[in-house]
Amino acid sequence: MTTVNELIANLDGTPYPIYIGKGVLGNIADYLQGATENPKILILFDTFFENTVAADIRLILEARGYDVFLHAMPAGKGNKNINEALKIFAVLEENNFARDSTLIAVGGGVIGDMSGFIASTWLRGMNLVHVPTTLLAMVDSSVGGKTAINFRQTINGIGSYYHPVFNLIDLDLVDTLSARDYHSGLAEVIKCAVINDQDFYLYLDKEREAILARSHKHVTGFIQRTIEIKINHVQGDVKEGGKRLLLNYGHTLGHAIEISTEKDNQEQLRHGEGVSIGIMAVAYIATRHLGVPQEVYDSLKQIFTSYNLPTSISSSELGFERYKLLESCKINVHKDKKRLGNKLRLILADRIGNARVYNDVSTELVEQAFDHVIRD
């Protein structure tokens, strides 16, 4: 019998359940029955899961009488664009999908963001279900209601806020992840501990071996705690005017590094890798801007290293001239959505377990931070 942990995300008057457990995917028809009476379903999935998760969901739902359509999409960040969105809108229009029909997202953050954007805009809002397949999507992108597609060089440039009718986190999928993707997801787990929960941070440090070994008990525990922290920061601030901003710790500089290191529209850094490098960059700023003790920086470097996450990058190994990469990062960081006019807003941790928003960090400090984490 499947053991299911259930969390309720009540973020802006729209409560929805998050189901967490091994094999919980098998319950999807039961959960869906409680959410809508419309039998029409579109599964939008990462092509990698065509013959596994997407096929399994289709069989489960069709056995219960649902009318299931499939649409495959390559999961790369470069595909999260308006052209791919128009293809999905065409499927919905051609098959007469109504507002009470359902879009199921099967994949990582790219699929989840795209599905949320489509669901939020089709007939001004259809049912959405998240089935995240990466650790990063489980603990971060599938929770909180952010939806978006990229526009040219602007990550998540066109988007909205929209919540699913439920999230389904099947821990069996964690076992299928590559080591690199698993470690990437752990960067967001560590981030949440740094900004909010010193005890959780100490737990992650102490239980590193069991977590890296993907102990079921430990995976269940840290996923649930990370989601609880995210819900706490999003609740009452869905549109990111206050405490939700803290969840962007490391992201402003990390995003700039991620997009600046792409080649031929293909990522060279996983999102979590960009976050760990971005956190080290802002930790460097904090020691100079806030006088934060060096021990905080050293602790962050140690925990990321112990979890096989990068704390800096080599421009030459990624195929860039260092000065050109630095210039690209300086340009891209000013496209950050959280800026106020031309001023950057950064999240800086003054200690492990606590972070604050700083609305006007100097360009000089940001450039020094990039210079610190981007090596020859």
Side-chain angles (χ1 to χ4, degrees):
M1 183 176 179
T2 302
T3 300
V4 181
N5 292 3
E6 181 179 341
L7 296 176
I8 299 296
N10 190 355
L11 302 178
D12 59 357
T14 310
Y16 65 90
I18 301 172
Y19 302 108
I20 306 170
K22 289 181 76 70
V24 72
L25 192 64
N27 301 336
I28 190 168
D30 295 327
Y31 299 144
L32 197 57
Q33 191 172 22
T36 181
E37 296 181 0
N38 192 314
K40 194 167 287 187
I41 309 290
L42 174 63
I43 302 175
L44 176 61
F45 60 94
D46 176 344
T47 50
F48 182 79
F49 296 103
E50 182 167 9
N51 298 314
T52 54
V53 184
D56 292 344
I57 293 175
R58 181 179 191 174
L59 287 173
I60 292 168
L61 294 179
E62 287 185 337
R64 293 284 287 270
Y66 286 94
D67 186 15
V68 182
F69 296 77
L70 298 177
H71 184 84
M73 178 184 148
K77 294 176 186 176
N79 297 303
K80 197 172 78 170
N81 57 52
I82 192 64
N83 293 325
E84 289 294 330
L86 291 174
K87 295 175 186 177
I88 303 163
F89 284 131
V91 174
L92 295 172
E93 198 265 344
E94 289 164 6
N95 293 286
N96 199 29
F97 273 73
R99 293 181 69 179
D100 61 343
S101 53
T102 304
L103 174 59
I104 301 177
V106 178
V110 169
I111 299 296
D113 284 358
M114 174 68 87
S115 297
F117 176 73
I118 296 295
S120 70
T121 49
W122 180 250
L123 301 179
R124 299 195 182 98
M126 65 183 294
N127 292 330
L128 172 67
V129 171
H130 281 300
V131 181
T133 58
T134 66
L135 178 58
L136 191 64
M138 291 175 184
V139 299
D140 186 45
S141 60
S142 71
V143 181
K146 285 185 177 180
T147 84
I149 57 175
N150 301 331
F151 184 72
R152 295 180 181 173
Q153 294 299 304
T154 302
I155 294 177
N156 300 327
I158 304 172
S160 59
Y161 295 91
Y162 195 70
H163 302 291
V165 291
F166 63 85
N167 273 23
L168 200 58
I169 297 176
D170 194 323
L171 300 179
D172 283 336
L173 293 170
V174 175
D175 296 331
T176 70
L177 297 174
S178 70
R180 187 179 184 188
D181 285 332
Y182 181 63
H183 299 154
S184 175
L186 288 168
E188 288 284 356
V189 176
I190 295 167
K191 176 209 73 177
C192 282
V194 175
I195 66 169
N196 184 251
D197 190 339
Q198 184 182 36
D199 289 340
F200 185 37
Y201 182 88
L202 294 174
Y203 167 84
L204 295 173
D205 193 31
K206 180 182 177 183
E207 301 296 327
R208 174 179 54 83
E209 288 188 13
I211 290 170
L212 287 174
R214 310 190 201 191
S215 150
H216 175 215
K217 174 185 174 182
H218 288 76
V219 170
T220 302
F222 76 68
I223 286 179
Q224 182 159 331
R225 181 58 189 141
T226 305
I227 292 174
E228 287 171 349
I229 291 171
K230 179 150 192 183
I231 289 172
N232 180 56
H233 282 77
V234 176
Q235 209 162 34
D237 187 30
V238 170
K239 295 190 176 180
E240 213 167 37
K243 61 182 180 178
R244 182 170 189 166
L245 283 168
L246 298 178
L247 294 168
N248 291 294
Y249 179 58
H251 283 59
T252 298
L253 274 61
H255 269 160
I257 293 170
E258 280 180 70
I259 195 168
S260 298
T261 53
E262 287 181 358
K263 279 201 165 184
D264 301 320
N265 289 322
Q266 296 296 315
E267 65 176 18
Q268 296 199 80
L269 294 174
R270 299 288 198 272
H271 174 66
E273 294 166 347
V275 168
S276 64
I277 296 166
I279 287 176
M280 294 313 304
V282 293
Y284 176 85
I285 290 174
T287 60
R288 284 144 184 80
H289 186 56
L290 298 180
V292 172
Q294 181 69 29
E295 297 83 65
V296 175
Y297 177 95
D298 293 341
S299 177
L300 290 169
K301 186 170 184 178
Q302 181 275 326
I303 197 169
F304 283 129
T305 301
S306 72
Y307 274 103
N308 302 306
L309 286 159
T311 56
S312 64
I313 56 171
S314 164
S315 54
S316 59
E317 288 180 7
L318 293 175
F320 292 91
E321 294 183 40
R322 184 170 183 266
Y323 81 94
K324 288 185 178 179
L325 182 55
L326 286 168
E327 286 303 312
S328 180
C329 288
K330 293 171 190 176
I331 292 169
N332 284 320
V333 77
H334 286 284
K335 296 180 179 179
D336 183 75
K337 301 180 299 302
K338 298 171 291 299
R339 68 187 184 276
L340 291 172
N342 290 320
K343 296 179 180 178
L344 285 178
R345 290 196 289 186
L346 289 185
I347 315 305
L348 302 178
D350 49 16
R351 58 182 172 81
I352 301 298
N354 190 71
R356 290 185 287 160
V357 180
Y358 290 81
N359 289 325
D360 191 11
V361 177
S362 74
T363 299
E364 181 182 5
L365 274 171
V366 171
E367 291 179 356
Q368 288 176 13
F370 281 133
D371 190 64
H372 179 70
V373 297
I374 297 174
R375 311 295 169 84
D376 286 325

Short mmCIF file of all heavy atoms in Angstrom, two decimals, residues 46 48-49 53 107-109 131-139 169-186 189 211-214 219 222-223 270:
data_model
loop_
_atom_site.label_atom_id
_atom_site.label_comp_id
_atom_site.label_asym_id
_atom_site.label_seq_id
_atom_site.Cartn_x
_atom_site.Cartn_y
_atom_site.Cartn_z
N ASP A 46 7.82 15.93 -21.34
CA ASP A 46 9.18 15.90 -21.84
C ASP A 46 9.34 14.62 -22.68
O ASP A 46 8.95 13.54 -22.25
CB ASP A 46 10.10 15.88 -20.61
CG ASP A 46 11.57 15.75 -20.92
OD1 ASP A 46 11.92 15.38 -22.05
OD2 ASP A 46 12.37 16.01 -20.02
N PHE A 48 11.58 12.69 -23.12
CA PHE A 48 12.30 11.62 -22.42
C PHE A 48 11.34 10.65 -21.74
O PHE A 48 11.67 9.47 -21.53
CB PHE A 48 13.24 12.25 -21.38
CG PHE A 48 14.08 11.27 -20.62
CD1 PHE A 48 15.21 10.71 -21.18
CD2 PHE A 48 13.72 10.90 -19.33
CE1 PHE A 48 15.98 9.80 -20.47
CE2 PHE A 48 14.49 9.98 -18.62
CZ PHE A 48 15.62 9.43 -19.19
N PHE A 49 10.14 11.12 -21.39
CA PHE A 49 9.19 10.31 -20.62
C PHE A 49 8.06 9.73 -21.47
O PHE A 49 7.07 9.24 -20.93
CB PHE A 49 8.60 11.14 -19.48
CG PHE A 49 9.63 11.58 -18.48
CD1 PHE A 49 10.11 12.88 -18.48
CD2 PHE A 49 10.14 10.69 -17.55
CE1 PHE A 49 11.07 13.27 -17.57
CE2 PHE A 49 11.10 11.08 -16.64
CZ PHE A 49 11.57 12.37 -16.64
N VAL A 53 6.69 7.56 -17.91
CA VAL A 53 5.71 8.23 -17.06
C VAL A 53 4.47 8.66 -17.83
O VAL A 53 3.33 8.42 -17.40
CB VAL A 53 6.34 9.44 -16.34
CG1 VAL A 53 5.34 10.06 -15.37
CG2 VAL A 53 7.60 9.03 -15.60
N GLY A 107 7.27 16.43 -16.39
CA GLY A 107 8.63 16.82 -16.73
C GLY A 107 9.24 17.70 -15.65
O GLY A 107 8.73 17.79 -14.53
N GLY A 108 10.33 18.36 -16.01
CA GLY A 108 11.00 19.25 -15.09
C GLY A 108 10.46 20.67 -15.16
O GLY A 108 9.32 20.90 -15.57
N GLY A 109 11.31 21.63 -14.80
CA GLY A 109 10.87 23.01 -14.69
C GLY A 109 10.41 23.61 -16.00
O GLY A 109 9.47 24.41 -16.03
N VAL A 131 3.07 16.97 -12.42
CA VAL A 131 3.76 15.71 -12.08
C VAL A 131 5.24 15.97 -12.32
O VAL A 131 5.79 15.64 -13.39
CB VAL A 131 3.25 14.53 -12.93
CG1 VAL A 131 3.98 13.24 -12.52
CG2 VAL A 131 1.74 14.34 -12.76
N PRO A 132 5.92 16.61 -11.38
CA PRO A 132 7.34 16.95 -11.58
C PRO A 132 8.21 15.70 -11.57
O PRO A 132 8.02 14.80 -10.75
CB PRO A 132 7.66 17.86 -10.39
CG PRO A 132 6.65 17.47 -9.34
CD PRO A 132 5.41 17.08 -10.08
N THR A 133 9.15 15.65 -12.49
CA THR A 133 10.00 14.47 -12.64
C THR A 133 11.44 14.70 -12.21
O THR A 133 12.24 13.77 -12.22
CB THR A 133 10.00 13.99 -14.11
OG1 THR A 133 10.46 15.07 -14.93
CG2 THR A 133 8.61 13.56 -14.56
N THR A 134 11.79 15.93 -11.85
CA THR A 134 13.12 16.23 -11.34
C THR A 134 13.00 16.71 -9.90
O THR A 134 11.97 17.25 -9.50
CB THR A 134 13.83 17.31 -12.17
OG1 THR A 134 13.12 18.56 -12.01
CG2 THR A 134 13.88 16.95 -13.64
N LEU A 135 14.05 16.53 -9.14
CA LEU A 135 14.04 17.01 -7.76
C LEU A 135 13.86 18.52 -7.73
O LEU A 135 13.15 19.06 -6.88
CB LEU A 135 15.35 16.60 -7.07
CG LEU A 135 15.52 17.08 -5.63
CD1 LEU A 135 14.39 16.58 -4.74
CD2 LEU A 135 16.88 16.62 -5.08
N LEU A 136 14.51 19.21 -8.66
CA LEU A 136 14.40 20.66 -8.72
C LEU A 136 12.95 21.10 -8.90
O LEU A 136 12.47 22.02 -8.22
CB LEU A 136 15.25 21.19 -9.88
CG LEU A 136 15.47 22.69 -9.96
CD1 LEU A 136 16.25 23.19 -8.76
CD2 LEU A 136 16.22 23.04 -11.24
N ALA A 137 12.23 20.44 -9.79
CA ALA A 137 10.82 20.79 -10.01
C ALA A 137 9.96 20.41 -8.81
O ALA A 137 9.01 21.11 -8.47
CB ALA A 137 10.30 20.11 -11.27
N MET A 138 10.29 19.31 -8.16
CA MET A 138 9.50 18.86 -7.00
C MET A 138 9.54 19.88 -5.87
O MET A 138 8.51 20.18 -5.26
CB MET A 138 10.03 17.52 -6.50
CG MET A 138 9.78 16.36 -7.44
SD MET A 138 10.58 14.84 -6.84
CE MET A 138 10.23 13.71 -8.20
N VAL A 139 10.73 20.39 -5.57
CA VAL A 139 10.87 21.26 -4.41
C VAL A 139 10.73 22.74 -4.73
O VAL A 139 10.59 23.56 -3.83
CB VAL A 139 12.23 21.04 -3.71
CG1 VAL A 139 12.35 19.61 -3.22
CG2 VAL A 139 13.40 21.42 -4.60
N ILE A 169 3.92 14.24 -6.37
CA ILE A 169 5.36 14.03 -6.28
C ILE A 169 5.62 12.57 -5.96
O ILE A 169 5.45 12.12 -4.82
CB ILE A 169 5.97 14.96 -5.21
CG1 ILE A 169 5.77 16.42 -5.62
CG2 ILE A 169 7.45 14.64 -5.01
CD1 ILE A 169 6.26 17.42 -4.60
N ASP A 170 6.00 11.82 -6.99
CA ASP A 170 6.26 10.40 -6.84
C ASP A 170 7.76 10.19 -6.60
O ASP A 170 8.59 10.47 -7.46
CB ASP A 170 5.82 9.63 -8.09
CG ASP A 170 5.75 8.13 -7.86
OD1 ASP A 170 6.62 7.61 -7.13
OD2 ASP A 170 4.84 7.48 -8.40
N LEU A 171 8.09 9.71 -5.41
CA LEU A 171 9.49 9.57 -5.02
C LEU A 171 10.22 8.50 -5.80
O LEU A 171 11.45 8.46 -5.81
CB LEU A 171 9.58 9.30 -3.52
CG LEU A 171 8.99 10.40 -2.63
CD1 LEU A 171 9.11 10.03 -1.17
CD2 LEU A 171 9.64 11.75 -2.89
N ASP A 172 9.49 7.61 -6.49
CA ASP A 172 10.15 6.64 -7.36
C ASP A 172 10.94 7.35 -8.46
O ASP A 172 11.96 6.84 -8.94
CB ASP A 172 9.13 5.70 -8.01
CG ASP A 172 8.63 4.63 -7.05
OD1 ASP A 172 9.36 4.32 -6.08
OD2 ASP A 172 7.52 4.12 -7.26
N LEU A 173 10.47 8.54 -8.85
CA LEU A 173 11.14 9.28 -9.91
C LEU A 173 12.50 9.81 -9.47
O LEU A 173 13.40 10.00 -10.28
CB LEU A 173 10.26 10.43 -10.41
CG LEU A 173 8.98 10.00 -11.14
CD1 LEU A 173 8.06 11.19 -11.36
CD2 LEU A 173 9.32 9.33 -12.47
N VAL A 174 12.66 10.06 -8.17
CA VAL A 174 13.95 10.53 -7.66
C VAL A 174 15.03 9.50 -7.93
O VAL A 174 16.18 9.84 -8.24
CB VAL A 174 13.85 10.85 -6.15
CG1 VAL A 174 15.22 11.23 -5.59
CG2 VAL A 174 12.86 11.99 -5.91
N ASP A 175 14.66 8.22 -7.83
CA ASP A 175 15.64 7.15 -8.04
C ASP A 175 16.13 7.08 -9.48
O ASP A 175 17.18 6.49 -9.76
CB ASP A 175 15.05 5.79 -7.64
CG ASP A 175 14.72 5.71 -6.16
OD1 ASP A 175 15.40 6.39 -5.36
OD2 ASP A 175 13.77 4.98 -5.80
N THR A 176 15.38 7.66 -10.41
CA THR A 176 15.76 7.58 -11.83
C THR A 176 16.68 8.72 -12.25
O THR A 176 17.19 8.70 -13.38
CB THR A 176 14.50 7.62 -12.72
OG1 THR A 176 13.91 8.93 -12.68
CG2 THR A 176 13.47 6.60 -12.27
N LEU A 177 16.88 9.71 -11.40
CA LEU A 177 17.65 10.88 -11.78
C LEU A 177 19.14 10.59 -11.88
O LEU A 177 19.69 9.79 -11.09
CB LEU A 177 17.44 12.01 -10.77
CG LEU A 177 16.01 12.55 -10.63
CD1 LEU A 177 15.95 13.56 -9.49
CD2 LEU A 177 15.56 13.19 -11.93
N SER A 178 19.82 11.25 -12.81
CA SER A 178 21.28 11.17 -12.86
C SER A 178 21.84 11.85 -11.61
O SER A 178 21.16 12.67 -10.96
CB SER A 178 21.81 11.88 -14.10
OG SER A 178 21.62 13.29 -13.99
N ALA A 179 23.07 11.53 -11.27
CA ALA A 179 23.70 12.16 -10.11
C ALA A 179 23.73 13.68 -10.27
O ALA A 179 23.45 14.42 -9.32
CB ALA A 179 25.11 11.61 -9.92
N ARG A 180 24.03 14.14 -11.47
CA ARG A 180 24.14 15.59 -11.68
C ARG A 180 22.79 16.28 -11.47
O ARG A 180 22.72 17.34 -10.84
CB ARG A 180 24.67 15.88 -13.09
CG ARG A 180 24.95 17.35 -13.32
CD ARG A 180 25.50 17.63 -14.70
NE ARG A 180 25.84 19.03 -14.86
CZ ARG A 180 26.21 19.60 -16.00
NH1 ARG A 180 26.32 18.85 -17.11
NH2 ARG A 180 26.49 20.89 -16.06
N ASP A 181 21.71 15.68 -11.98
CA ASP A 181 20.39 16.30 -11.81
C ASP A 181 19.93 16.24 -10.35
O ASP A 181 19.28 17.16 -9.87
CB ASP A 181 19.37 15.61 -12.72
CG ASP A 181 19.53 16.01 -14.17
OD1 ASP A 181 20.00 17.13 -14.44
OD2 ASP A 181 19.20 15.20 -15.06
N TYR A 182 20.24 15.15 -9.67
CA TYR A 182 19.88 15.05 -8.25
C TYR A 182 20.61 16.12 -7.44
O TYR A 182 20.01 16.83 -6.63
CB TYR A 182 20.23 13.65 -7.75
CG TYR A 182 19.88 13.41 -6.30
CD1 TYR A 182 18.56 13.44 -5.86
CD2 TYR A 182 20.88 13.12 -5.36
CE1 TYR A 182 18.24 13.19 -4.53
CE2 TYR A 182 20.56 12.88 -4.03
CZ TYR A 182 19.24 12.92 -3.62
OH TYR A 182 18.92 12.68 -2.30
N HIS A 183 21.91 16.25 -7.68
CA HIS A 183 22.69 17.27 -6.95
C HIS A 183 22.19 18.67 -7.27
O HIS A 183 22.13 19.53 -6.39
CB HIS A 183 24.17 17.14 -7.31
CG HIS A 183 24.77 15.82 -6.94
ND1 HIS A 183 25.86 15.28 -7.58
CD2 HIS A 183 24.41 14.91 -6.00
CE1 HIS A 183 26.14 14.11 -7.05
NE2 HIS A 183 25.28 13.86 -6.10
N SER A 184 21.83 18.91 -8.52
CA SER A 184 21.31 20.22 -8.91
C SER A 184 20.07 20.57 -8.10
O SER A 184 19.91 21.70 -7.62
CB SER A 184 20.98 20.23 -10.41
OG SER A 184 20.38 21.44 -10.80
N GLY A 185 19.17 19.61 -7.93
CA GLY A 185 17.97 19.86 -7.13
C GLY A 185 18.29 20.16 -5.68
O GLY A 185 17.62 20.97 -5.03
N LEU A 186 19.34 19.53 -5.17
CA LEU A 186 19.72 19.76 -3.77
C LEU A 186 20.19 21.20 -3.52
O LEU A 186 20.14 21.68 -2.39
CB LEU A 186 20.82 18.78 -3.36
CG LEU A 186 20.34 17.32 -3.18
CD1 LEU A 186 21.53 16.38 -3.06
CD2 LEU A 186 19.44 17.20 -1.97
N VAL A 189 17.32 22.99 -2.19
CA VAL A 189 17.06 22.55 -0.82
C VAL A 189 17.97 23.31 0.14
O VAL A 189 17.52 23.86 1.17
CB VAL A 189 17.27 21.03 -0.70
CG1 VAL A 189 17.08 20.57 0.74
CG2 VAL A 189 16.31 20.27 -1.63
N ILE A 211 21.61 11.38 2.48
CA ILE A 211 20.90 12.15 1.45
C ILE A 211 21.49 11.86 0.07
O ILE A 211 20.76 11.65 -0.89
CB ILE A 211 20.94 13.65 1.79
CG1 ILE A 211 20.07 13.93 3.03
CG2 ILE A 211 20.47 14.49 0.61
CD1 ILE A 211 20.21 15.32 3.60
N LEU A 212 22.80 11.83 -0.02
CA LEU A 212 23.43 11.53 -1.30
C LEU A 212 23.14 10.10 -1.75
O LEU A 212 23.07 9.81 -2.95
CB LEU A 212 24.94 11.77 -1.23
CG LEU A 212 25.38 13.23 -1.19
CD1 LEU A 212 26.88 13.35 -0.97
CD2 LEU A 212 24.98 13.96 -2.47
N ALA A 213 22.92 9.21 -0.78
CA ALA A 213 22.58 7.82 -1.10
C ALA A 213 21.09 7.67 -1.44
O ALA A 213 20.64 6.58 -1.76
CB ALA A 213 22.93 6.91 0.07
N ARG A 214 20.34 8.77 -1.34
CA ARG A 214 18.91 8.82 -1.67
C ARG A 214 18.08 7.90 -0.77
O ARG A 214 17.14 7.23 -1.22
CB ARG A 214 18.66 8.50 -3.14
CG ARG A 214 19.52 9.31 -4.08
CD ARG A 214 19.12 9.19 -5.53
NE ARG A 214 20.24 9.57 -6.40
CZ ARG A 214 20.17 9.78 -7.70
NH1 ARG A 214 19.02 9.65 -8.33
NH2 ARG A 214 21.24 10.11 -8.41
N VAL A 219 14.97 11.48 1.79
CA VAL A 219 14.41 12.19 0.63
C VAL A 219 13.01 12.71 0.95
O VAL A 219 12.68 13.86 0.66
CB VAL A 219 14.39 11.27 -0.62
CG1 VAL A 219 13.60 11.92 -1.74
CG2 VAL A 219 15.82 10.98 -1.09
N PHE A 222 13.44 15.79 3.45
CA PHE A 222 13.94 17.08 2.97
C PHE A 222 13.05 17.68 1.89
O PHE A 222 12.94 18.90 1.77
CB PHE A 222 15.41 17.03 2.56
CG PHE A 222 15.74 16.37 1.24
CD1 PHE A 222 15.36 16.93 0.04
CD2 PHE A 222 16.50 15.21 1.21
CE1 PHE A 222 15.69 16.35 -1.18
CE2 PHE A 222 16.85 14.62 0.01
CZ PHE A 222 16.43 15.19 -1.19
N ILE A 223 12.37 16.83 1.10
CA ILE A 223 11.43 17.37 0.12
C ILE A 223 10.27 18.06 0.84
O ILE A 223 9.90 19.20 0.51
CB ILE A 223 10.90 16.27 -0.82
CG1 ILE A 223 11.97 15.86 -1.83
CG2 ILE A 223 9.63 16.75 -1.56
CD1 ILE A 223 11.55 14.75 -2.77
N ARG A 270 23.40 23.35 -15.15
CA ARG A 270 22.06 23.08 -14.63
C ARG A 270 21.64 24.29 -13.78
O ARG A 270 22.47 25.03 -13.26
CB ARG A 270 22.05 21.82 -13.77
CG ARG A 270 22.45 20.56 -14.49
CD ARG A 270 21.36 20.10 -15.46
NE ARG A 270 21.55 18.70 -15.82
CZ ARG A 270 22.29 18.26 -16.81
NH1 ARG A 270 22.95 19.14 -17.57
NH2 ARG A 270 22.39 16.96 -17.07
#
